Amino acid sequence: MVHVCAAFPLKCPEPAQWSLRARSHCPDPSKYFCLKNDLINGYSENCTVFDFLQPGRKHVLRGGLDADPCSSERFQPWPITFYTNVSTDCIFLKSICNEEGQVIYDHGNRNTDITCRCDYTRGYDFIVKPRNPCFCIPSEEDCSCHLKMCQDSRYVLSPGYGCIHSNKNTSINLCKPIFYERINRESNQSDFEEILRVRNISTAENYLTTVAILVTCISLAVLFLSYPLAKFLANCYIEHNFFSKALSIEPAEEVIEGNDISISCEIIQKNMGGTWYKNKSPLISTTRLASDINEKKHTLKIRNAELSDSAVYCIDFNGVKREIQLQVEGFFSKELSIDPEEVIEGKDVSISCEIIQKDMGGTWYKNGSPLSSTDRIECGINEKLNILTIHNAELSDSAVYSIDFKGVKRQTQLHVEDLKLVEDRKPYLNRL
């Protein structure tokens, strides 16, 4: 007889089997997790903890729970939160632009899906017009493409999917063009052109496009002597060239709660006022929000950023607009909590929270007054964990406790139960 013992690496359950595995493996299924473990380069499952993270992040194990961004193949949009007892990876798998006529417009990020467009250079257009005329979101819209026929062979599709004359390609397009780079095969192969890659228009090409638009506008205005037409073409030119620098966010990397942020752009005119909007509502200056104009540069400054500052911001110059999405990440990876939940006079109690930075101490407050360590009260730090410990809790310890990290604050209410009242309740509870 031959005995064989074979091992296999642990694989986390699929979403459909997650609940079944949790109930069979853990006494409390809500604390089941199965996460990537970087220490063993595999996966580990346990029944000890339940936690969550802000959208765009997932938990991994590196000795303890740590945060990683979603992988490039997956995303988790705002405001869906990652829970350890629900999934191993970020919930949504990014779409693929592989149907007939589709090409990738943008690869998305950890919070957004990939976007697709129809390849107009091969004669494809959207069957159903998407919300944005230039691209489509496959997880939200029908991105199917079809071959669009122009009136005759002299006409081709423009980047905006309109029919234009192939030899007079001077139309104004809001959508960026697709450019192909060509190579020839070796001499022993057939001679044909092969598409290598799709790339965005270069700076030189942008300049040539601008010159072509300007020449076309002036020529048509002189040719037809039509004021309405000239005005329309002039507006098109202004719309295309009004912003010399698009809206951008500083810092360009991840924006963390409590940081100062600036959103800025540059236009072609000096000292021209614009109107700032947040989620389509006009912004009003406050102690935290202020707008500034420095000749051609317009800046919106946000001091001590809050989670509620996450929004779509827009600037409007008499109808010429640009917008950008701001996402503020939470400074606290775990909110303030009290242990034990029921605090009885004479017992020890701890109030703790976890932040995203290591060994950074905050200031504790009791009813708005700063706290310092005493014989009964200890303030401690353990890497990312800040802990306030109260020994032999007294009734006077009942209060609102808060912690402040340079303006980023959280607070919680502590109530200490009277020991005598608790003892008096015990006989009654035992009878129940």
Side-chain angles (χ1 to χ4, degrees), residues 12-305:
C12 291
E14 297 296 330
Q17 284 80 43
W18 190 279
S19 177
L20 182 64
R21 178 62 177 167
R23 290 197 303 270
S24 65
H25 191 68
C26 297
D28 182 358
S30 67
K31 292 186 177 181
Y32 171 76
F33 70 79
C34 184
L35 298 173
K36 179 71 181 298
N37 190 335
D38 285 355
L39 299 181
I40 64 173
N41 194 26
Y43 293 87
S44 296
E45 59 180 357
N46 213 317
C47 308
T48 57
V49 70
F50 159 76
D51 203 357
F52 65 93
L53 282 175
Q54 296 292 337
R57 291 172 174 266
K58 63 177 181 179
H59 268 305
V60 295
L61 293 174
R62 297 190 179 99
L65 288 179
D66 202 356
D68 257 4
C70 296
S71 64
S72 59
E73 298 84 14
R74 308 188 75 88
F75 73 103
Q76 191 141 328
W78 183 269
I80 298 176
T81 305
F82 177 90
Y83 292 94
T84 55
N85 64 351
V86 172
S87 178
T88 304
D89 296 308
C90 294
I91 293 177
F92 295 109
L93 186 66
K94 286 187 178 178
S95 306
I96 302 175
C97 303
N98 63 349
E99 294 186 15
E100 181 181 357
Q102 289 181 353
V103 293
I104 294 174
Y105 184 87
D106 184 81
H107 289 276
N109 55 42
R110 67 190 190 189
N111 295 115
T112 60
D113 193 8
I114 198 170
T115 51
C116 307
R117 72 184 302 180
C118 292
D119 190 352
Y120 70 88
T121 64
R122 295 193 289 137
Y124 284 96
D125 187 11
F126 291 105
I127 294 177
V128 179
K129 292 297 181 185
R131 294 192 296 266
N132 188 299
C134 301
F135 62 84
C136 173
I137 306 173
S139 56
E140 299 177 9
E141 305 172 88
D142 181 2
C143 297
S144 302
C145 303
H146 72 109
L147 282 170
K148 180 177 179 179
M149 304 301 294
C150 293
Q151 51 265 50
D152 59 54
S153 59
R154 295 174 300 167
Y155 288 81
V156 295
L157 287 184
S158 69
Y161 304 103
C163 290
I164 58 173
H165 199 287
S166 58
N167 294 327
K168 298 178 182 179
N169 188 2
T170 56
S171 62
I172 302 170
N173 292 295
L174 296 177
C175 305
K176 62 186 180 183
I178 297 173
F179 279 81
Y180 295 114
E181 184 175 308
R182 299 172 179 176
I183 62 168
N184 290 326
R185 296 281 180 145
E186 297 178 2
S187 57
N188 62 342
Q189 294 176 321
S190 59
D191 184 16
F192 67 95
E193 296 174 333
E194 180 181 1
I195 297 172
L196 286 180
R197 62 186 177 88
V198 179
R199 60 180 173 82
N200 289 337
I201 189 166
S202 66
T203 304
E205 288 160 346
N206 261 326
Y207 175 76
L208 292 175
T209 302
T210 302
V211 173
I213 293 170
L214 180 60
V215 171
T216 302
C217 290
I218 295 173
S219 300
L220 290 175
V222 173
L223 179 62
F224 296 104
L225 297 177
S226 170
Y227 173 75
L229 179 61
K231 184 178 180 181
F232 170 76
L233 294 173
N235 287 338
C236 291
Y237 174 75
I238 292 173
E239 172 72 23
H240 186 79
N241 296 275
F242 189 79
F243 286 82
S244 53
K245 285 187 180 178
L247 278 176
S248 61
I249 299 173
E250 290 292 337
E253 61 271 10
E254 192 174 51
V255 178
I256 304 296
E257 180 184 9
N259 287 355
D260 291 343
I261 308 165
S262 65
I263 304 173
S264 63
C265 68
E266 197 169 288
I267 60 174
I268 58 176
Q269 297 185 27
K270 289 185 178 180
N271 302 319
M272 179 180 179
T275 304
W276 287 95
Y277 293 84
K278 176 184 177 182
N279 288 338
K280 299 183 180 180
S281 298
L283 275 175
I284 301 173
S285 294
T286 66
T287 53
R288 288 199 314 111
L289 298 176
S291 58
D292 177 63
I293 304 174
N294 184 9
E295 294 190 343
K296 300 179 181 180
K297 188 174 182 180
H298 291 251
T299 306
L300 176 66
K301 297 179 180 178
I302 305 175
R303 293 181 58 254
N304 196 15

